[in-house]
Amino acid sequence: MIETNRLGVSYRGQPALTDLSVTIGGGFTAVIGPSGAGKSTLMRALNGLIPAGSGQVLFQGTPLGRPGSALLRIQQRRMGMVFQGFNLVRRLSALENVLLGRLAATSPWRSLSGWLPHGERELALHLLDRVGLADHAWQRADQLSGGQQQRVGIARALAQQPQVILADEPISALDPKSAAEVMAILHGIQAQDGLAVIANLHSLETVRRYAGRVIALRAGQLVFDDVPQRLTDNVARELYGQDALPGESQEPGGNQELPPNVHFASA
Amino acid sequence: MTIRVPEPPLPIYRPPPAVLRNQRWRWAASATVLLIVALSLGGSEISLPRLTQGSVNIVHYLFGSAERPRSGYFPPDFSNGLVYLQQMLLTVKMAVVGTTGAVILAIPLSFLAARNTTPNRLTYQLTRRLLDLFRGVPLIVMALIFVAAVGLGPFPGILALAIHTAGILGKLFAEGIENIDEGQVEAVRSSGAHPVQVLSHGVWPQIIPHLLSMTLYRFESNVRDSTLLGIVGAGGIGYYITEAIRGFDSRSASAILIIILSSVFLIDFLSAKLRERLS
Ligand SMILES: Nc1ncnc2c1ncn2[C@@H]1O[C@H](COP(=O)(O)OP(=O)(O)OP(=O)(O)O)[C@@H](O)[C@H]1O
Ligand SMILES: [Mg+2]
């Protein structure tokens, strides 16, 4: 569905992703890696928010269009993004925020008039109901709790009628209870609606619980790509460095040997 | 036997080079400011005797002197009050129309003059310089130019107000646009929205409060400024106050001043209340 082909992205000459080739199909894919590994950069590159410096990103077999092109906008519409900081337009209501997901399907000049095509509002309300927020539709986004805002964010992404959800640390800013609710919704989207979900996650516990596949980045390179069962504590320790297992106890244990298909970049 | 432990020498405190540089900077800056003030004093013709003599004159001017009848500002003469009120209303109308024109001009210019929404650096630079020009030409000079162009009356005054204020508001709006939360904009962009929609639904909702509050604030100033426009024949109450003062009709001038001040106070008060509710 989404494929990167020797993708490289750099910020002012500093490489953030190098030579990354990976194909992601359906299911729930977790992207992990230490801070600064390039996880957010990968998400933004997959969506085309930042152009590839070298190599390419393909969505359903077609290379992403150039920045500003109509092709890219059509492709972006099929990829709903969910953000760590929710990124709702704070002064708009929950419902209006969900309707933002319909913009790409509306002609720009008509969207200026504020007039909604038939059924758009119903769709948005239905999606809010789906994330458990039908009662909050007319509340301003900045008056919702973090967990509620993130659920509005998911509803907004779903309003695009996407084929993929790209979630950049969707639960890092949330308390455990809200995080569990958000993960359950993301899981439902994948399991029931058959959308592909790609999520940057920090807690290995969450990764093991929800992901069908784990991709690990370190220093902009792919260093692990396997089922979560192979993501042993040792692998994780190697990935994050000796003293950091995010969100987990640091007791030794698990498999002492690296799985054969793990190849760490020489540090 | 006691063993004398040699005391370690106290470390000498040395501020890091950055701090020293900072201190030198502050000295240089203070010296420069003093020098500028000193230089400016030359040519300013400040003289204490003239000030003392002047204060006596002001008292005579304001409170009248016995040898001249009808001199002094008291009591104010409201016999033409209705005309003055009409002229004050015209002045406020000029401020309303001028500010509205300025907003209409400033909104598109501010998007071109904000780093995060401008299409390219050249447009950015050109728009910024244009705004500087609008703002830089003093209002009265601009009014004189428009009087020469379109003739006397409120119309040239409104044009001058609109252009001058567009320069001020354009810069303030652009700064508001530069301070928005890019995350909200990026979320809209990531959904495949058209660039026009990114502006209308990602940027615009964020800047409305700032925009309204700045506009009201400028409107207050414009009511005050437009009382000046009449002086150069660009409409409004300014003409009447100049005539009254030049013709030594101090009691009428007094009445006009009272009308101007109370209108300005009233509008400032209402506008400040409104701005409070916006924030
Ligand atoms: N806008 C930017 N400008 C310059 N450098 C950037 C920018 N965004 C990211 N980087 C750099 O690119 C590298 C990868 O950043 P990225 O945000 O993708 O990491 P991440 O894996 O998402 O980290 P985290 O877990 O902290 O979110 C880092 O070295 C970062 O400093
Ligand atoms: Mg990140």
Side-chain angles (χ1 to χ4, degrees):
Chain A
M1 180 164 298
I2 298 191
E3 189 181 336
T4 69
N5 186 1
R6 311 203 59 178
L7 173 67
V9 174
S10 36
Y11 297 101
R12 288 180 224 97
Q14 283 289 102
L17 290 177
T18 31
D19 222 9
L20 186 77
S21 297
V22 65
T23 304
I24 303 175
F28 196 121
T29 307
V31 180
I32 62 170
S35 184
K39 307 181 295 295
S40 302
T41 305
L42 175 61
M43 288 293 175
R44 293 154 51 83
L46 291 182
N47 177 269
L49 277 174
I50 23 179
S54 61
Q56 57 184 354
V57 176
L58 295 98
F59 181 67
Q60 296 178 324
T62 314
L64 290 188
R66 297 159 52 82
S69 66
L71 172 62
L72 179 62
R73 292 204 297 274
I74 291 169
Q75 291 165 325
Q76 284 177 322
R77 189 180 150 194
R78 297 298 174 207
M79 302 185 249
M81 279 198 98
V82 174
F83 301 86
Q84 176 176 9
F86 325 130
N87 291 358
L88 301 184
V89 176
R90 300 168 54 86
R91 295 184 59 255
L92 300 182
S93 69
L95 184 68
E96 288 168 313
N97 267 287
V98 178
L99 283 167
L100 290 180
R102 298 302 304 157
L103 282 177
T106 316
S107 95
W109 308 113
R110 194 170 63 189
S111 66
L112 284 181
S113 75
W115 180 79
L116 292 172
H118 183 70
E120 303 273 279
R121 192 187 304 270
E122 286 67 27
L123 173 68
L125 280 169
H126 166 74
L127 290 171
L128 275 176
D129 187 38
R130 175 124 191 239
V131 297
L133 289 173
D135 295 342
H136 295 77
W138 279 274
Q139 208 161 326
R140 251 175 72 150
D142 54 5
Q143 286 165 1
L144 298 169
S145 75
Q148 291 170 331
Q149 290 193 42
Q150 192 58 297
R151 285 187 273 154
V152 174
I154 293 174
R156 172 177 66 186
L158 289 176
Q160 293 171 226
Q161 302 182 308
Q163 280 144 2
V164 190
I165 295 287
L166 301 171
D168 188 6
E169 301 199 21
I171 56 170
S172 328
L174 302 180
D175 61 277
K177 183 168 166 288
S178 306
E181 286 166 357
V182 164
M183 284 312 297
I185 292 171
L186 286 176
H187 178 255
I189 291 169
Q190 184 266 314
Q192 289 151 30
D193 306 42
L195 296 191
V197 175
I198 306 173
N200 290 347
L201 294 168
H202 260 301
S203 141
L204 295 187
E205 204 179 321
T206 314
V207 171
R208 290 186 179 120
R209 176 140 177 227
Y210 292 99
R213 178 182 176 188
V214 183
I215 289 170
L217 297 179
R218 195 171 66 182
Q221 291 183 316
L222 187 70
V223 292
F224 177 91
D225 179 1
D226 209 328
V227 291
Q229 289 75 17
R230 307 291 283 265
L231 182 72
T232 62
D233 286 354
N234 271 346
V235 175
R237 200 167 291 120
E238 187 79 16
L239 176 67
Y240 287 101
Q242 287 308 308
D243 45 18
L245 271 188
E248 223 110 341
S249 69
Q250 293 177 22
E251 281 162 36
N255 204 334
Q256 293 302 308
E257 281 167 43
L258 294 178
N261 55 344
V262 177
H263 46 95
F264 283 101
S266 49
Chain B
M1 195 179 101
T2 54
I3 302 169
R4 281 182 61 100
V5 180
E7 281 185 20
L10 280 174
I12 299 166
Y13 170 70
R14 278 181 140 262
V19 174
L20 286 176
R21 219 175 310 136
N22 205 348
Q23 279 174 354
R24 275 203 295 275
W25 249 109
R26 248 180 271 166
W27 275 110
S30 316
T32 314
V33 170
L34 279 178
L35 187 71
I36 290 174
V37 174
L39 286 175
S40 309
L41 278 172
S44 59
E45 298 183 11
I46 289 182
S47 108
L48 203 57
R50 270 174 72 185
L51 185 63
T52 27
Q53 179 52 43
S55 341
V56 176
N57 291 346
I58 284 177
V59 170
H60 280 305
Y61 180 64
L62 283 182
F63 298 100
S65 54
E67 56 263 33
R68 276 191 287 136
R70 271 189 64 82
S71 65
Y73 271 51
F74 301 98
D77 174 5
F78 278 100
S79 50
N80 277 328
L82 204 60
V83 177
Y84 303 151
L85 272 179
Q86 276 170 349
Q87 287 300 315
M88 188 64 221
L89 188 65
L90 175 63
T91 309
V92 176
K93 281 179 176 171
M94 286 166 58
V96 170
V97 179
T99 311
T100 309
V103 170
I104 292 170
L105 266 174
I107 288 173
L109 289 176
S110 63
F111 279 98
L112 301 177
R115 266 193 199 86
N116 47 346
T117 51
T118 191
N120 53 55
R121 274 211 68 82
L122 181 69
T123 317
Y124 169 84
Q125 285 294 345
L126 287 178
T127 322
R128 284 272 166 167
R129 296 296 80 80
L130 183 72
L131 292 174
D132 288 348
L133 183 76
F134 284 0
R135 200 171 55 243
V137 180
L139 181 64
I140 287 294
V141 175
M142 205 168 266
L144 282 168
I145 294 172
F146 280 115
V147 166
V150 302
L152 295 169
F155 183 47
I158 288 168
L159 285 177
L161 266 181
I163 302 281
H164 183 74
T165 309
I168 296 167
L169 286 183
K171 179 157 182 270
L172 291 172
F173 291 176
E175 268 150 24
I177 294 173
E178 284 176 353
N179 282 326
I180 59 172
D181 170 16
E182 282 294 327
Q184 298 173 38
V185 182
E186 188 163 82
V188 177
R189 187 179 296 124
S190 78
S191 75
H194 190 271
V196 170
Q197 295 168 324
V198 174
L199 289 184
S200 64
H201 289 72
V203 178
W204 183 250
Q206 292 192 60
I207 61 169
I208 293 174
H210 174 78
L211 203 133
L212 285 178
S213 138
M214 290 298 123
T215 302
L216 276 173
Y217 180 71
R218 267 325 295 184
F219 170 65
E220 293 169 33
S221 317
N222 280 352
V223 173
R224 271 174 268 132
D225 288 355
S226 53
T227 58
L228 294 174
L229 290 172
I231 297 175
V232 295
I237 199 156
Y239 171 77
Y240 290 81
I241 193 149
T242 338
E243 286 302 292
I245 291 176
R246 284 203 185 126
F248 293 103
D249 184 1
S250 299
R251 294 183 181 182
S252 296
S254 166
I256 299 173
L257 267 181
I258 287 169
I259 287 173
I260 292 180
L261 285 178
S262 31
S263 313
V264 166
F265 285 153
L266 184 71
I267 283 168
D268 279 7
F269 173 78
L270 293 177
S271 165
K273 274 264 173 278
L274 215 61
R275 278 190 289 132
E276 230 168 71
R277 296 204 46 182
L278 284 173
S279 56

